[in-house]
Amino acid sequence: MARRLGILGGSFDPIHLGHLRSAEEVRETLALDLVYFVPAHEPPHKPQRQLASGRDRLAMAERAIADNPAFRVSAIEIERGGVSYSVDTLAAFAARESDATLFFVLGIDAFREMQTWKDVVRVFELANVAVTSRPPHAAEPSIEHLPVAAREAFCYDPATLSFRHRTGTTLQFLPITGIDVSATAVRERARRGSSIRYLVPSSVERYVREHRLYRSGEANT
Ligand code: ATP
């Protein structure tokens, strides 16, 4: 049987329990064999922001997933350099894993910005797309935010509450346990010297502390 692979992109600055729980619930619901966390080199929608280094973000993600045999970290975007477009990453996965069924996973907040993405029409040709809820937003099955060219290729299947693309891929909306954590809030707490315990795995909390990440007045704020 074709392997079912999930791909979860993001800044992961740092990876937190919201990312991990989302990946775990999507893995279970969609019976995925593996979920790849793919830290961006340069997220197109956050051009101004100074991120922690790719090395640090990869190291934190590696530590966070170390005890989950179904999770992987991919350095593909960090190694490619430049602005990280999901369409390029999905094309690379599709070429490398030609026998696999790909599921691109993102939160509803990111999905609602997809009309600004590079080659969004092609994203839906390359992979199935799974959109999760993220507090405070439910995973409403709606494609009104997509550009017309992308919308036209879908038809709605009320039986499965999902959309079918003319190429055969699906777009589905998955309610997951709401964990209202953002990396912004984690960084802000670390900057103030407040506790980030239970917002990130303990291995990540330790890494942030030992490497003095996100401290005010230091390089990675
Ligand atoms: P920042 O606060 O720096 O903007 P973030 O917390 O939104 O970061 P990202 O790395 O940008 O995290 O998110 C990567 C992906 O994970 C996106 O698809 C986003 O919707 C999803 N995601 C992030 N946090 C959560 C969460 N708490 N629950 C569900 N999905 C999440």
Side-chain angles (χ1 to χ4, degrees):
M1 256 225 330
R3 291 203 311 163
R4 295 164 69 84
L5 306 182
I7 299 167
L8 177 53
S11 320
F12 299 110
D13 190 24
I15 191 165
H16 55 65
L17 294 187
H19 297 128
L20 292 160
R21 186 63 206 169
S22 167
E24 177 65 0
E25 292 198 22
V26 173
R27 181 198 63 74
E28 191 171 43
T29 305
L30 300 181
L32 303 180
D33 295 294
L34 293 174
V35 179
Y36 285 88
F37 294 79
V38 189
H41 178 259
E42 194 181 312
H45 53 292
K46 301 176 186 168
Q48 265 72 280
R49 204 160 69 65
Q50 167 90 45
L51 300 173
S53 71
R55 194 193 56 226
D56 283 332
R57 289 180 292 121
L58 281 175
M60 290 188 282
E62 291 283 6
R63 282 162 175 72
I65 64 143
D67 62 355
N68 190 326
F71 286 178
R72 298 281 186 279
V73 174
S74 167
I76 186 171
E77 293 190 352
I78 306 265
E79 285 169 1
R80 192 166 66 227
V83 180
S84 307
Y85 295 109
S86 297
V87 68
D88 298 336
T89 302
L90 291 172
F93 266 93
R96 195 177 73 190
E97 301 275 356
S98 54
D99 295 336
T101 306
L102 303 183
F103 292 83
F104 182 54
V105 181
L106 73 173
I108 187 105
D109 56 312
F111 175 72
R112 287 188 181 161
E113 292 182 355
M114 263 182 112
Q115 76 277 9
T116 63
W117 289 20
K118 178 184 166 196
D119 264 351
V120 67
V121 169
R122 185 150 155 69
V123 168
F124 295 108
E125 295 168 0
L126 286 164
N128 301 284
V129 176
V131 181
T132 71
S133 53
R134 177 178 183 180
H137 307 292
E140 290 294 344
S142 161
I143 56 173
E144 69 187 36
H145 297 279
L146 295 179
V148 175
R151 281 204 307 255
E152 280 175 352
F154 282 109
C155 66
Y156 186 59
D157 175 5
T160 58
L161 300 178
S162 65
F163 294 83
R164 186 159 287 280
H165 195 265
R166 64 166 166 247
T167 59
T169 62
T170 58
L171 164 62
Q172 52 196 312
F173 293 81
L174 306 176
I176 60 169
T177 305
I179 299 189
D180 194 1
V181 185
S182 69
T184 303
V186 172
R187 290 192 303 275
E188 177 57 22
R189 295 186 70 83
R191 191 186 63 72
R192 293 198 305 261
S194 300
S195 165
I196 58 170
R197 213 172 165 193
Y198 310 125
L199 298 176
V200 298
S202 53
S203 55
V204 173
E205 190 257 341
R206 207 163 39 246
Y207 190 98
V208 168
R209 187 163 20 87
E210 288 174 2
H211 291 78
R212 303 181 65 79
L213 297 184
Y214 314 123
R215 296 296 194 87
S216 49
E218 295 185 20
N220 295 310
T221 52

PDB file of all heavy atoms in Angstrom, residues 148-177:
ATOM      1  N   VAL A 148     -10.342  32.372  -7.322  1.00  0.00           N
ATOM      2  CA  VAL A 148     -11.348  31.715  -8.171  1.00  0.00           C
ATOM      3  C   VAL A 148     -10.745  30.524  -8.914  1.00  0.00           C
ATOM      4  O   VAL A 148     -11.341  29.445  -8.990  1.00  0.00           O
ATOM      5  CB  VAL A 148     -11.936  32.738  -9.178  1.00  0.00           C
ATOM      6  CG1 VAL A 148     -12.893  32.062 -10.141  1.00  0.00           C
ATOM      7  CG2 VAL A 148     -12.620  33.863  -8.426  1.00  0.00           C
ATOM      8  N   ALA A 149      -9.542  30.704  -9.439  1.00  0.00           N
ATOM      9  CA  ALA A 149      -8.916  29.631 -10.233  1.00  0.00           C
ATOM     10  C   ALA A 149      -8.761  28.360  -9.413  1.00  0.00           C
ATOM     11  O   ALA A 149      -8.868  27.250  -9.948  1.00  0.00           O
ATOM     12  CB  ALA A 149      -7.560  30.089 -10.738  1.00  0.00           C
ATOM     13  N   ALA A 150      -8.526  28.498  -8.125  1.00  0.00           N
ATOM     14  CA  ALA A 150      -8.394  27.315  -7.269  1.00  0.00           C
ATOM     15  C   ALA A 150      -9.776  26.771  -6.911  1.00  0.00           C
ATOM     16  O   ALA A 150     -10.002  25.557  -6.919  1.00  0.00           O
ATOM     17  CB  ALA A 150      -7.614  27.664  -6.009  1.00  0.00           C
ATOM     18  N   ARG A 151     -10.716  27.676  -6.627  1.00  0.00           N
ATOM     19  CA  ARG A 151     -12.076  27.258  -6.216  1.00  0.00           C
ATOM     20  C   ARG A 151     -12.778  26.442  -7.297  1.00  0.00           C
ATOM     21  O   ARG A 151     -13.452  25.455  -7.016  1.00  0.00           O
ATOM     22  CB  ARG A 151     -12.926  28.496  -5.920  1.00  0.00           C
ATOM     23  CG  ARG A 151     -12.666  29.095  -4.583  1.00  0.00           C
ATOM     24  CD  ARG A 151     -13.853  29.898  -4.093  1.00  0.00           C
ATOM     25  NE  ARG A 151     -14.340  30.897  -5.015  1.00  0.00           N
ATOM     26  CZ  ARG A 151     -14.148  32.205  -4.908  1.00  0.00           C
ATOM     27  NH1 ARG A 151     -13.422  32.687  -3.912  1.00  0.00           N
ATOM     28  NH2 ARG A 151     -14.661  33.042  -5.767  1.00  0.00           N
ATOM     29  N   GLU A 152     -12.580  26.885  -8.541  1.00  0.00           N
ATOM     30  CA  GLU A 152     -13.292  26.252  -9.666  1.00  0.00           C
ATOM     31  C   GLU A 152     -12.979  24.775  -9.818  1.00  0.00           C
ATOM     32  O   GLU A 152     -13.764  24.037 -10.396  1.00  0.00           O
ATOM     33  CB  GLU A 152     -12.873  26.941 -10.976  1.00  0.00           C
ATOM     34  CG  GLU A 152     -13.587  28.242 -11.208  1.00  0.00           C
ATOM     35  CD  GLU A 152     -13.043  28.949 -12.446  1.00  0.00           C
ATOM     36  OE1 GLU A 152     -12.029  28.487 -13.016  1.00  0.00           O
ATOM     37  OE2 GLU A 152     -13.638  29.959 -12.818  1.00  0.00           O
ATOM     38  N   ALA A 153     -11.817  24.367  -9.325  1.00  0.00           N
ATOM     39  CA  ALA A 153     -11.389  22.984  -9.538  1.00  0.00           C
ATOM     40  C   ALA A 153     -11.974  22.021  -8.506  1.00  0.00           C
ATOM     41  O   ALA A 153     -11.747  20.825  -8.570  1.00  0.00           O
ATOM     42  CB  ALA A 153      -9.865  22.920  -9.495  1.00  0.00           C
ATOM     43  N   PHE A 154     -12.747  22.557  -7.561  1.00  0.00           N
ATOM     44  CA  PHE A 154     -13.265  21.712  -6.478  1.00  0.00           C
ATOM     45  C   PHE A 154     -14.766  21.485  -6.614  1.00  0.00           C
ATOM     46  O   PHE A 154     -15.501  22.363  -7.078  1.00  0.00           O
ATOM     47  CB  PHE A 154     -13.042  22.396  -5.123  1.00  0.00           C
ATOM     48  CG  PHE A 154     -11.638  22.285  -4.606  1.00  0.00           C
ATOM     49  CD1 PHE A 154     -10.805  23.392  -4.584  1.00  0.00           C
ATOM     50  CD2 PHE A 154     -11.142  21.072  -4.147  1.00  0.00           C
ATOM     51  CE1 PHE A 154      -9.513  23.300  -4.104  1.00  0.00           C
ATOM     52  CE2 PHE A 154      -9.837  20.972  -3.655  1.00  0.00           C
ATOM     53  CZ  PHE A 154      -9.029  22.086  -3.640  1.00  0.00           C
ATOM     54  N   CYS A 155     -15.224  20.321  -6.170  1.00  0.00           N
ATOM     55  CA  CYS A 155     -16.659  20.196  -5.891  1.00  0.00           C
ATOM     56  C   CYS A 155     -16.815  19.655  -4.472  1.00  0.00           C
ATOM     57  O   CYS A 155     -15.949  18.933  -3.960  1.00  0.00           O
ATOM     58  CB  CYS A 155     -17.372  19.356  -6.927  1.00  0.00           C
ATOM     59  SG  CYS A 155     -16.880  17.682  -6.940  1.00  0.00           S
ATOM     60  N   TYR A 156     -17.886  20.069  -3.835  1.00  0.00           N
ATOM     61  CA  TYR A 156     -18.110  19.742  -2.427  1.00  0.00           C
ATOM     62  C   TYR A 156     -18.791  18.385  -2.304  1.00  0.00           C
ATOM     63  O   TYR A 156     -19.723  18.074  -3.051  1.00  0.00           O
ATOM     64  CB  TYR A 156     -18.984  20.834  -1.789  1.00  0.00           C
ATOM     65  CG  TYR A 156     -19.162  20.657  -0.298  1.00  0.00           C
ATOM     66  CD1 TYR A 156     -18.069  20.644   0.557  1.00  0.00           C
ATOM     67  CD2 TYR A 156     -20.432  20.493   0.255  1.00  0.00           C
ATOM     68  CE1 TYR A 156     -18.221  20.483   1.918  1.00  0.00           C
ATOM     69  CE2 TYR A 156     -20.597  20.334   1.621  1.00  0.00           C
ATOM     70  CZ  TYR A 156     -19.479  20.324   2.443  1.00  0.00           C
ATOM     71  OH  TYR A 156     -19.625  20.153   3.793  1.00  0.00           O
ATOM     72  N   ASP A 157     -18.326  17.588  -1.378  1.00  0.00           N
ATOM     73  CA  ASP A 157     -18.945  16.288  -1.118  1.00  0.00           C
ATOM     74  C   ASP A 157     -19.566  16.330   0.274  1.00  0.00           C
ATOM     75  O   ASP A 157     -18.854  16.175   1.279  1.00  0.00           O
ATOM     76  CB  ASP A 157     -17.868  15.204  -1.206  1.00  0.00           C
ATOM     77  CG  ASP A 157     -18.423  13.841  -0.834  1.00  0.00           C
ATOM     78  OD1 ASP A 157     -19.650  13.719  -0.607  1.00  0.00           O
ATOM     79  OD2 ASP A 157     -17.617  12.892  -0.754  1.00  0.00           O
ATOM     80  N   PRO A 158     -20.898  16.558   0.361  1.00  0.00           N
ATOM     81  CA  PRO A 158     -21.516  16.723   1.676  1.00  0.00           C
ATOM     82  C   PRO A 158     -21.399  15.471   2.548  1.00  0.00           C
ATOM     83  O   PRO A 158     -21.383  15.562   3.777  1.00  0.00           O
ATOM     84  CB  PRO A 158     -22.986  17.039   1.369  1.00  0.00           C
ATOM     85  CG  PRO A 158     -23.161  16.916  -0.096  1.00  0.00           C
ATOM     86  CD  PRO A 158     -21.844  16.648  -0.747  1.00  0.00           C
ATOM     87  N   ALA A 159     -21.282  14.302   1.931  1.00  0.00           N
ATOM     88  CA  ALA A 159     -21.209  13.063   2.717  1.00  0.00           C
ATOM     89  C   ALA A 159     -19.953  13.053   3.583  1.00  0.00           C
ATOM     90  O   ALA A 159     -19.977  12.567   4.718  1.00  0.00           O
ATOM     91  CB  ALA A 159     -21.215  11.856   1.786  1.00  0.00           C
ATOM     92  N   THR A 160     -18.857  13.591   3.058  1.00  0.00           N
ATOM     93  CA  THR A 160     -17.592  13.561   3.817  1.00  0.00           C
ATOM     94  C   THR A 160     -17.194  14.943   4.310  1.00  0.00           C
ATOM     95  O   THR A 160     -16.118  15.099   4.913  1.00  0.00           O
ATOM     96  CB  THR A 160     -16.446  13.017   2.932  1.00  0.00           C
ATOM     97  OG1 THR A 160     -16.351  13.860   1.763  1.00  0.00           O
ATOM     98  CG2 THR A 160     -16.686  11.597   2.510  1.00  0.00           C
ATOM     99  N   LEU A 161     -18.045  15.950   4.077  1.00  0.00           N
ATOM    100  CA  LEU A 161     -17.752  17.341   4.464  1.00  0.00           C
ATOM    101  C   LEU A 161     -16.400  17.791   3.901  1.00  0.00           C
ATOM    102  O   LEU A 161     -15.674  18.561   4.532  1.00  0.00           O
ATOM    103  CB  LEU A 161     -17.728  17.517   5.989  1.00  0.00           C
ATOM    104  CG  LEU A 161     -18.986  17.181   6.765  1.00  0.00           C
ATOM    105  CD1 LEU A 161     -18.756  17.370   8.260  1.00  0.00           C
ATOM    106  CD2 LEU A 161     -20.155  18.055   6.311  1.00  0.00           C
ATOM    107  N   SER A 162     -16.055  17.267   2.727  1.00  0.00           N
ATOM    108  CA  SER A 162     -14.762  17.648   2.156  1.00  0.00           C
ATOM    109  C   SER A 162     -14.943  18.044   0.688  1.00  0.00           C
ATOM    110  O   SER A 162     -16.019  17.848   0.110  1.00  0.00           O
ATOM    111  CB  SER A 162     -13.766  16.503   2.291  1.00  0.00           C
ATOM    112  OG  SER A 162     -14.178  15.414   1.517  1.00  0.00           O
ATOM    113  N   PHE A 163     -13.923  18.589   0.113  1.00  0.00           N
ATOM    114  CA  PHE A 163     -13.955  19.019  -1.283  1.00  0.00           C
ATOM    115  C   PHE A 163     -13.074  18.077  -2.097  1.00  0.00           C
ATOM    116  O   PHE A 163     -12.002  17.675  -1.646  1.00  0.00           O
ATOM    117  CB  PHE A 163     -13.412  20.453  -1.416  1.00  0.00           C
ATOM    118  CG  PHE A 163     -14.279  21.481  -0.755  1.00  0.00           C
ATOM    119  CD1 PHE A 163     -14.180  21.723   0.612  1.00  0.00           C
ATOM    120  CD2 PHE A 163     -15.208  22.207  -1.500  1.00  0.00           C
ATOM    121  CE1 PHE A 163     -14.983  22.671   1.225  1.00  0.00           C
ATOM    122  CE2 PHE A 163     -16.019  23.156  -0.883  1.00  0.00           C
ATOM    123  CZ  PHE A 163     -15.902  23.388   0.478  1.00  0.00           C
ATOM    124  N   ARG A 164     -13.571  17.756  -3.303  1.00  0.00           N
ATOM    125  CA  ARG A 164     -12.768  16.902  -4.186  1.00  0.00           C
ATOM    126  C   ARG A 164     -12.253  17.748  -5.338  1.00  0.00           C
ATOM    127  O   ARG A 164     -13.010  18.480  -5.977  1.00  0.00           O
ATOM    128  CB  ARG A 164     -13.642  15.751  -4.714  1.00  0.00           C
ATOM    129  CG  ARG A 164     -12.873  14.737  -5.526  1.00  0.00           C
ATOM    130  CD  ARG A 164     -13.614  13.412  -5.569  1.00  0.00           C
ATOM    131  NE  ARG A 164     -13.537  12.702  -4.292  1.00  0.00           N
ATOM    132  CZ  ARG A 164     -12.486  11.980  -3.888  1.00  0.00           C
ATOM    133  NH1 ARG A 164     -11.407  11.888  -4.652  1.00  0.00           N
ATOM    134  NH2 ARG A 164     -12.504  11.354  -2.742  1.00  0.00           N
ATOM    135  N   HIS A 165     -10.962  17.627  -5.581  1.00  0.00           N
ATOM    136  CA  HIS A 165     -10.331  18.394  -6.662  1.00  0.00           C
ATOM    137  C   HIS A 165     -10.450  17.609  -7.961  1.00  0.00           C
ATOM    138  O   HIS A 165     -10.498  16.379  -7.938  1.00  0.00           O
ATOM    139  CB  HIS A 165      -8.845  18.608  -6.304  1.00  0.00           C
ATOM    140  CG  HIS A 165      -8.167  19.648  -7.115  1.00  0.00           C
ATOM    141  ND1 HIS A 165      -7.430  19.343  -8.245  1.00  0.00           N
ATOM    142  CD2 HIS A 165      -8.104  20.997  -6.978  1.00  0.00           C
ATOM    143  CE1 HIS A 165      -6.931  20.471  -8.750  1.00  0.00           C
ATOM    144  NE2 HIS A 165      -7.334  21.475  -8.009  1.00  0.00           N
ATOM    145  N   ARG A 166     -10.453  18.313  -9.096  1.00  0.00           N
ATOM    146  CA  ARG A 166     -10.632  17.584 -10.355  1.00  0.00           C
ATOM    147  C   ARG A 166      -9.472  16.634 -10.645  1.00  0.00           C
ATOM    148  O   ARG A 166      -9.616  15.698 -11.427  1.00  0.00           O
ATOM    149  CB  ARG A 166     -10.879  18.530 -11.525  1.00  0.00           C
ATOM    150  CG  ARG A 166      -9.757  19.459 -11.858  1.00  0.00           C
ATOM    151  CD  ARG A 166      -9.961  20.115 -13.233  1.00  0.00           C
ATOM    152  NE  ARG A 166      -9.033  21.222 -13.312  1.00  0.00           N
ATOM    153  CZ  ARG A 166      -9.378  22.493 -13.351  1.00  0.00           C
ATOM    154  NH1 ARG A 166     -10.648  22.833 -13.379  1.00  0.00           N
ATOM    155  NH2 ARG A 166      -8.460  23.435 -13.401  1.00  0.00           N
ATOM    156  N   THR A 167      -8.330  16.837 -10.005  1.00  0.00           N
ATOM    157  CA  THR A 167      -7.206  15.910 -10.200  1.00  0.00           C
ATOM    158  C   THR A 167      -7.307  14.689  -9.285  1.00  0.00           C
ATOM    159  O   THR A 167      -6.450  13.813  -9.321  1.00  0.00           O
ATOM    160  CB  THR A 167      -5.863  16.618  -9.916  1.00  0.00           C
ATOM    161  OG1 THR A 167      -5.897  17.104  -8.562  1.00  0.00           O
ATOM    162  CG2 THR A 167      -5.613  17.757 -10.871  1.00  0.00           C
ATOM    163  N   GLY A 168      -8.319  14.665  -8.391  1.00  0.00           N
ATOM    164  CA  GLY A 168      -8.509  13.496  -7.523  1.00  0.00           C
ATOM    165  C   GLY A 168      -8.076  13.718  -6.091  1.00  0.00           C
ATOM    166  O   GLY A 168      -8.348  12.898  -5.221  1.00  0.00           O
ATOM    167  N   THR A 169      -7.368  14.796  -5.825  1.00  0.00           N
ATOM    168  CA  THR A 169      -6.973  15.062  -4.438  1.00  0.00           C
ATOM    169  C   THR A 169      -8.175  15.588  -3.641  1.00  0.00           C
ATOM    170  O   THR A 169      -9.198  15.949  -4.222  1.00  0.00           O
ATOM    171  CB  THR A 169      -5.826  16.100  -4.366  1.00  0.00           C
ATOM    172  OG1 THR A 169      -6.298  17.326  -4.926  1.00  0.00           O
ATOM    173  CG2 THR A 169      -4.592  15.624  -5.098  1.00  0.00           C
ATOM    174  N   THR A 170      -8.018  15.636  -2.329  1.00  0.00           N
ATOM    175  CA  THR A 170      -9.102  16.132  -1.482  1.00  0.00           C
ATOM    176  C   THR A 170      -8.640  17.318  -0.644  1.00  0.00           C
ATOM    177  O   THR A 170      -7.443  17.480  -0.401  1.00  0.00           O
ATOM    178  CB  THR A 170      -9.599  15.046  -0.498  1.00  0.00           C
ATOM    179  OG1 THR A 170      -8.492  14.634   0.292  1.00  0.00           O
ATOM    180  CG2 THR A 170     -10.187  13.861  -1.225  1.00  0.00           C
ATOM    181  N   LEU A 171      -9.612  18.093  -0.227  1.00  0.00           N
ATOM    182  CA  LEU A 171      -9.369  19.191   0.720  1.00  0.00           C
ATOM    183  C   LEU A 171     -10.336  18.951   1.859  1.00  0.00           C
ATOM    184  O   LEU A 171     -11.555  18.972   1.664  1.00  0.00           O
ATOM    185  CB  LEU A 171      -9.656  20.534   0.038  1.00  0.00           C
ATOM    186  CG  LEU A 171      -9.829  21.754   0.950  1.00  0.00           C
ATOM    187  CD1 LEU A 171      -8.559  22.026   1.751  1.00  0.00           C
ATOM    188  CD2 LEU A 171     -10.211  22.987   0.116  1.00  0.00           C
ATOM    189  N   GLN A 172      -9.804  18.657   3.032  1.00  0.00           N
ATOM    190  CA  GLN A 172     -10.705  18.377   4.147  1.00  0.00           C
ATOM    191  C   GLN A 172     -10.392  19.232   5.354  1.00  0.00           C
ATOM    192  O   GLN A 172      -9.284  19.720   5.519  1.00  0.00           O
ATOM    193  CB  GLN A 172     -10.717  16.903   4.499  1.00  0.00           C
ATOM    194  CG  GLN A 172      -9.382  16.279   4.737  1.00  0.00           C
ATOM    195  CD  GLN A 172      -9.481  14.766   4.698  1.00  0.00           C
ATOM    196  OE1 GLN A 172     -10.355  14.185   5.325  1.00  0.00           O
ATOM    197  NE2 GLN A 172      -8.598  14.128   3.974  1.00  0.00           N
ATOM    198  N   PHE A 173     -11.404  19.367   6.197  1.00  0.00           N
ATOM    199  CA  PHE A 173     -11.340  20.260   7.362  1.00  0.00           C
ATOM    200  C   PHE A 173     -11.512  19.396   8.600  1.00  0.00           C
ATOM    201  O   PHE A 173     -12.516  18.699   8.729  1.00  0.00           O
ATOM    202  CB  PHE A 173     -12.432  21.325   7.243  1.00  0.00           C
ATOM    203  CG  PHE A 173     -12.188  22.262   6.088  1.00  0.00           C
ATOM    204  CD1 PHE A 173     -12.530  21.886   4.790  1.00  0.00           C
ATOM    205  CD2 PHE A 173     -11.575  23.486   6.277  1.00  0.00           C
ATOM    206  CE1 PHE A 173     -12.269  22.733   3.714  1.00  0.00           C
ATOM    207  CE2 PHE A 173     -11.313  24.334   5.212  1.00  0.00           C
ATOM    208  CZ  PHE A 173     -11.670  23.960   3.929  1.00  0.00           C
ATOM    209  N   LEU A 174     -10.525  19.447   9.483  1.00  0.00           N
ATOM    210  CA  LEU A 174     -10.515  18.537  10.639  1.00  0.00           C
ATOM    211  C   LEU A 174     -10.565  19.318  11.944  1.00  0.00           C
ATOM    212  O   LEU A 174      -9.620  20.062  12.256  1.00  0.00           O
ATOM    213  CB  LEU A 174      -9.237  17.692  10.620  1.00  0.00           C
ATOM    214  CG  LEU A 174      -8.946  16.900   9.342  1.00  0.00           C
ATOM    215  CD1 LEU A 174      -7.596  16.189   9.465  1.00  0.00           C
ATOM    216  CD2 LEU A 174     -10.045  15.887   9.080  1.00  0.00           C
ATOM    217  N   PRO A 175     -11.638  19.145  12.720  1.00  0.00           N
ATOM    218  CA  PRO A 175     -11.642  19.745  14.058  1.00  0.00           C
ATOM    219  C   PRO A 175     -10.654  18.983  14.937  1.00  0.00           C
ATOM    220  O   PRO A 175     -10.665  17.752  14.943  1.00  0.00           O
ATOM    221  CB  PRO A 175     -13.080  19.535  14.546  1.00  0.00           C
ATOM    222  CG  PRO A 175     -13.796  18.773  13.493  1.00  0.00           C
ATOM    223  CD  PRO A 175     -12.826  18.343  12.441  1.00  0.00           C
ATOM    224  N   ILE A 176      -9.789  19.703  15.627  1.00  0.00           N
ATOM    225  CA  ILE A 176      -8.842  19.043  16.533  1.00  0.00           C
ATOM    226  C   ILE A 176      -8.962  19.699  17.909  1.00  0.00           C
ATOM    227  O   ILE A 176      -9.594  20.749  18.049  1.00  0.00           O
ATOM    228  CB  ILE A 176      -7.382  19.118  16.027  1.00  0.00           C
ATOM    229  CG1 ILE A 176      -6.915  20.576  15.869  1.00  0.00           C
ATOM    230  CG2 ILE A 176      -7.213  18.355  14.732  1.00  0.00           C
ATOM    231  CD1 ILE A 176      -5.422  20.711  15.633  1.00  0.00           C
ATOM    232  N   THR A 177      -8.351  19.083  18.901  1.00  0.00           N
ATOM    233  CA  THR A 177      -8.356  19.655  20.250  1.00  0.00           C
ATOM    234  C   THR A 177      -7.705  21.035  20.209  1.00  0.00           C
ATOM    235  O   THR A 177      -6.588  21.175  19.700  1.00  0.00           O
ATOM    236  CB  THR A 177      -7.557  18.751  21.205  1.00  0.00           C
ATOM    237  OG1 THR A 177      -8.108  17.437  21.132  1.00  0.00           O
ATOM    238  CG2 THR A 177      -7.626  19.256  22.637  1.00  0.00           C
TER     239      THR A 177
END
